[in-house]
Amino acid sequence: MTLSRRDFLLTASAAGASLAVADAALAQQPRINLSQTARRPDKPNVILIVIDTLRRDHLGVYGNGWMKTPALDQLGRQSLRFTRATPEAMPTIPARRSIHSGMRTFPFRNWERRAGNGSSVWGWQHIPDDQPTLAEQLEKAGYETMLVTDVPHEFTPGMNFSRGFKLVDWVRGQEGDPYRPYWSVDPFELQKFMWRDADGQALTTKYGNAPLARELRQYLANTQDRRAEDDRFAARVFRSAARALEGIPRDKPFFLTVDSFDPHEPWDAPRRYADAYDDPGYDEPEPVTPRYGSSDYLPERQLQRMRALYAGEITMTDTWLAFFLDRLHQMSLLDDTVILLTSDHGMALGEHGALGKPAYALWPEMTDTPLFIRHPNGTAAGEARDYFASTHDILPTILSFAGVEPRKETDGSDLSPHLDGKAGTVREHFTSGLNDYVWVSDKRFAMISRNDGSEAKLYDIAADPEQAKDLAGDKPQEVKRLFDLVLKDAGGEPLPHYDL
């Protein structure tokens, strides 16, 4: 299926000035058509796009009527999309462990917090050395392998997420990456982004005032030389990904992973993006990052602005995804390339009284993510499946497209049969987790609890899709049944507990 330039750059009628920025950048690039001078590979190329912190309910192709995401929506319409996709473990690193290894990270057994690994999140650790990564297996099968990303956690000392990639482009500076000296930023600059209560206490923080203030100050130091939108991280990642493909030999298949940290906070897209979802006259501090936990510390007006900032960051990311997809079209790569797109988790923005990614907030705003598979022949384009697809299914699915047999120990399932309307592996339920909280659903009910079964919340998702009414007290047998499914998926033994 050949996609036109207009399919992906929907110009002013869809996204206004935002796409015009990418369009201007595109105009500076030479026209490229490599397909006329080189033989096509005998195996499909594969592009895996991971967009961090992307809520499924913020995409028009999943039913949102107010977001401006034309590129994501168009890609979704050209793809088979999964409507029950949920990461098997969260957040950033646990999800990527399962993406690149095909193995479940949940229920976080044998986790060890290592000094300097940057996180106390359960399962936040490197891919075990005896688990071959997706890139390693594809490289062995003759693929050129490339990784372009700005996710700093993948490069923390001791991590090994670049295993198997011949080309690695790490776009430095996201979040707390110690890329530039943080002391180069005046600490008073932070006041532009922190709402204060009547006592003058700064409240817009992630885990506490001091840690986030340091992290935000580091981020400001990393980004203080930005001058234009194409200096933003999403622009740099997707432009670099396009450049990586411009000179690649066409007689050999390639595997490219494009892993964008945006729209992860801090949400600091050019102001016009947030203003598209809010009053342009807003003149209070910009809450570019939340304090993880209860949302009750923020006034409603600040919470409204935070939602607009998040939405704006998504639209900016979508703009540069459009740029990348258009470059693929110019290079005639869409005709022989499989594209998969997913996310690692969502983000709570005041729903259920939660902000950020606290472990207990495993409601749809956290668990529900997009998952697209675009086949170059247009197979199943525009169709949807309610299968419990997940992050650990990506490795066997991509290996299937490449004609590579995954090793028997792989936990994930090949999703490619769904393109032909075949169910493949049947999943009547699915489980996931974050730290000491678990989530389980069987399409009728969803349950959240501690990983020992306590503090359970139960929802009838058929009658109550927004999960507003907790039924745990009325249906204790359902709670027990669902928690038994958690234990079953965890190997039949009690889940581990770690004292931090």
Side-chain angles (χ1 to χ4, degrees):
M1 177 177 291
T2 300
L3 301 180
S4 71
R5 170 179 169 77
R6 186 175 181 278
D7 286 332
F8 284 120
L9 284 181
L10 301 181
T11 62
S13 62
S18 61
L19 284 183
V21 173
D23 210 15
L26 180 64
Q28 300 173 11
Q29 304 290 334
R31 295 286 169 171
I32 299 172
N33 189 336
L34 300 178
S35 63
Q36 316 217 346
T37 60
R39 181 176 65 85
R40 292 180 182 273
D42 56 3
K43 295 180 180 180
N45 306 311
V46 180
I47 296 176
L48 170 61
I49 302 172
V50 182
I51 299 182
D52 204 288
T53 317
L54 182 60
R55 287 172 51 153
R56 188 162 71 219
D57 65 358
H58 275 50
L59 299 185
V61 74
Y62 283 106
N64 184 292
W66 52 269
M67 279 290 298
K68 299 175 177 63
T69 53
L72 283 161
D73 294 338
Q74 181 68 3
L75 181 60
R77 287 189 291 269
Q78 299 291 340
S79 303
L80 172 65
R81 67 184 185 278
F82 291 87
T83 59
R84 292 187 187 273
T86 299
E88 65 83 31
M90 293 171 272
T92 307
I93 287 298
R96 284 166 176 79
R97 281 186 63 189
S98 56
I99 287 173
H100 291 289
S101 71
M103 303 295 291
R104 295 207 67 169
T105 302
F106 176 82
F108 315 119
R109 298 197 190 280
N110 303 315
W111 173 65
E112 294 181 4
R113 183 180 183 184
R114 297 183 180 181
N117 78 352
S119 180
S120 59
V121 175
W122 297 12
W124 192 287
Q125 60 197 58
H126 72 289
I127 300 170
D129 295 337
D130 62 351
Q131 292 180 8
T133 66
L134 176 55
E136 286 175 321
Q137 294 179 70
L138 289 174
E139 182 186 26
K140 187 176 181 180
Y143 275 72
E144 292 287 348
T145 55
M146 298 167 282
L147 170 65
V148 180
T149 183
D150 62 338
V151 179
H153 312 301
E154 296 181 280
F155 299 94
T156 302
M159 296 294 182
N160 55 358
F161 285 84
S162 62
R163 278 170 42 192
F165 289 104
K166 289 184 178 179
L167 180 150
V168 178
D169 186 353
W170 175 18
V171 177
R172 293 288 305 267
Q174 275 281 20
E175 205 174 39
D177 176 20
Y179 180 49
R180 300 279 174 80
Y182 73 89
W183 52 85
S184 64
V185 172
D186 190 325
F188 288 102
E189 286 291 304
L190 303 182
Q191 296 183 20
K192 299 177 182 178
F193 308 101
M194 291 186 170
W195 182 80
R196 295 177 179 273
D197 64 14
D199 297 326
Q201 178 69 31
L203 294 176
T204 307
T205 64
K206 185 176 290 186
Y207 301 111
N209 295 331
L212 183 80
R214 169 65 180 271
E215 183 177 282
L216 184 56
R217 191 178 176 190
Q218 178 68 69
Y219 180 84
L220 294 175
N222 294 343
T223 59
Q224 61 186 333
D225 294 333
R226 291 190 308 202
R227 295 294 178 265
E229 183 175 325
D230 56 10
D231 294 327
R232 305 283 168 150
F233 287 107
R236 293 168 62 193
V237 166
F238 283 111
R239 291 179 74 182
S240 179
R243 285 194 299 270
L245 295 177
E246 288 175 359
I248 193 167
R250 293 299 298 272
D251 59 349
K252 186 177 181 180
F254 67 79
F255 169 55
L256 169 65
T257 295
V258 188
D259 195 344
S260 171
F261 203 47
D262 284 342
H264 192 287
E265 74 274 6
W267 304 306
D268 63 340
R271 176 161 179 145
R272 67 177 180 278
Y273 285 102
D275 286 351
Y277 300 99
D278 195 15
D279 179 3
Y282 178 86
D283 61 357
E284 298 180 41
E286 294 280 17
V288 297
T289 188
R291 181 178 68 185
Y292 285 15
S294 173
S295 62
D296 60 7
Y297 75 95
L298 275 181
E300 181 59 34
R301 183 66 187 93
Q302 286 269 312
L303 187 57
Q304 178 185 340
R305 185 63 178 181
M306 187 175 284
R307 291 168 178 156
L309 290 167
Y310 172 70
E313 198 85 11
I314 292 175
T315 295
M316 182 186 69
T317 303
D318 183 87
T319 296
W320 293 99
L321 172 64
F323 172 89
F324 173 69
L325 294 171
D326 191 76
R327 293 297 282 169
L328 295 181
H329 172 66
Q330 285 193 29
M331 290 184 278
S332 299
L333 288 172
L334 290 169
D335 296 336
D336 51 14
T337 300
V338 176
I339 300 176
L340 290 85
L341 182 145
T342 194
S343 185
D344 55 353
H345 51 70
M347 162 68 66
L349 294 169
E351 306 88 353
H352 299 93
L355 268 181
K357 297 183 284 285
Y360 64 83
L362 298 180
W363 291 288
E365 50 270 21
M366 268 281 290
T367 62
D368 291 3
T369 54
L371 179 55
F372 304 156
I373 301 177
R374 180 197 176 276
H375 194 279
N377 295 333
T379 309
E383 297 182 20
R385 304 282 186 266
D386 68 350
Y387 181 76
F388 282 117
S390 190
T391 43
H392 65 311
D393 297 326
I394 289 174
L395 178 144
T397 301
I398 290 178
L399 292 183
S400 176
F401 285 125
V404 177
E405 185 72 25
R407 63 181 196 145
K408 294 181 180 180
E409 295 85 355
T410 301
D411 290 332
S413 297
D414 177 10
L415 299 176
S416 64
H418 291 274
L419 291 166
D420 298 321
K422 301 174 183 178
T425 302
V426 176
R427 285 181 181 153
E428 300 294 343
H429 72 277
F430 196 68
T431 52
S432 181
L434 173 55
N435 279 7
D436 58 341
Y437 281 83
V438 298
W439 172 93
V440 57
S441 177
D442 64 357
K443 298 186 180 180
R444 171 64 192 280
F445 293 99
M447 189 195 75
I448 306 164
S449 76
R450 293 271 190 179
N451 71 354
D452 61 1
S454 63
E455 301 180 21
K457 296 179 175 62
L458 177 72
Y459 303 95
D460 183 337
I461 56 177
D464 179 22
E466 295 184 357
Q467 300 182 21
K469 185 177 181 181
D470 177 11
L471 303 176
D474 300 329
K475 296 181 178 293
Q477 291 304 313
E478 287 294 340
V479 170
K480 181 180 184 305
R481 179 182 69 84
L482 290 170
F483 190 71
D484 285 345
L485 294 177
V486 173
L487 294 178
K488 177 183 176 182
D489 286 0
E493 299 179 2
L495 278 68
H497 182 80
Y498 303 98
D499 293 321
L500 300 179

